[in-house]
Amino acid sequence: MLSGHASGRTGFLLVRRKLVERLRAQGISDPRVLAAFEDIPRHSLIPEVLWGQAYKDTALPIGDGQTISAPGVVARMTAALELEGPEKILEIGTGSGYQAAILSRLVARIISIERIPDLAHAARASLGRLGAQNVELFVGDGSGGRPEDAPYDGIVVTAGGPELPRPLLGQLALGGRLVGPFGPRGAQQLIRVRRVGETQFTQETLGPCDFVDLIGQNGWPA
Ligand code: SAM
């Protein structure tokens, strides 16, 4: 049974604290990341009919066949970006705005791209209500990144592509990290790529995952 009754920031605070304990138990240890998950009211980013499930560790539908990612996945990806505060981050796949809202508490500037206009408009309104003024939202195919605002200290791809979109690599700053799900449908792996030199990159596999499709020029065909 959920406690808390307000629809705003204080609503469901106790349930959010329990979510933070679960994230800690899953190995998320950065106190800034955990504080962001306590602060951001996930329920305010999804349809009210789903509020009872808002703090379960599961993806939920947000319309247009898309989902808000599970908090555990968002936490894993956020932690993998290794954020300290002054970073500029590119997010591909705004969706509900949850990942962007979490990032808004952790870095200086977020540029987020969503291909479905209705979702982008809803996310813009939600992020406005949460006071996430450091998020800039664009509508379009983000699978090739956004070269005009590059380089980025971090890039987070929140939809699954058949393979890592090559144009994104050149938009990473030296030392920058890219985190995202890639591979065949049903067998995606969460990948972290680090730019260690002008043309040198290292790649780690962080484990299996299951995301909706990255659709676009450098993703799956529509
Ligand atoms: N980050 C989101 C959140 O916190 O709610 C979860 C996003 S959902 C799993 C993936 C999103 O990526 C969907 O909203 C989908 O429309 C979007 N998407 C898919 N392909 C895209 C592309 N090429 N450019 C931008 N957005 C894309």
Side-chain angles (χ1 to χ4, degrees), residues 50-199:
L50 294 173
W51 281 10
Q53 300 174 61
Y55 297 98
K56 290 185 180 161
D57 196 10
T58 166
L60 294 168
I62 55 171
D64 291 288
Q66 305 303 319
T67 55
I68 181 173
S69 302
V73 172
V74 178
R76 218 165 122 211
M77 294 173 83
T78 305
L81 286 168
E82 298 176 341
L83 304 171
E84 292 184 349
E87 293 92 350
K88 176 172 64 174
I89 303 294
L90 174 68
E91 180 194 25
I92 299 164
T94 316
S96 67
Y98 186 50
Q99 173 77 77
I102 293 289
L103 289 171
S104 76
R105 301 305 195 254
L106 295 170
V107 300
R109 185 176 171 202
I110 302 110
I111 289 134
S112 185
I113 310 176
E114 170 56 52
R115 65 178 284 274
I116 300 178
D118 282 354
L119 293 181
H121 296 146
R124 186 172 282 123
S126 300
L127 289 163
R129 282 195 301 274
L130 292 173
Q133 286 163 354
N134 52 352
V135 180
E136 295 156 52
L137 218 160
F138 296 92
V139 179
D141 174 9
S143 66
R146 190 173 155 81
E148 50 270 64
D149 285 313
Y152 303 101
D153 305 298
I155 300 178
V156 60
V157 185
T158 69
E163 57 188 27
L164 173 64
R166 295 289 137 184
L168 300 183
L169 293 177
Q171 295 173 36
L172 272 180
L174 194 59
R177 288 79 60 200
L178 179 153
V179 176
F182 305 107
R185 293 186 180 104
Q188 294 167 355
Q189 292 286 337
L190 193 60
I191 301 292
R192 174 167 57 192
V193 173
R194 199 181 297 268
R195 186 170 199 168
V196 294
E198 193 52 36
T199 56

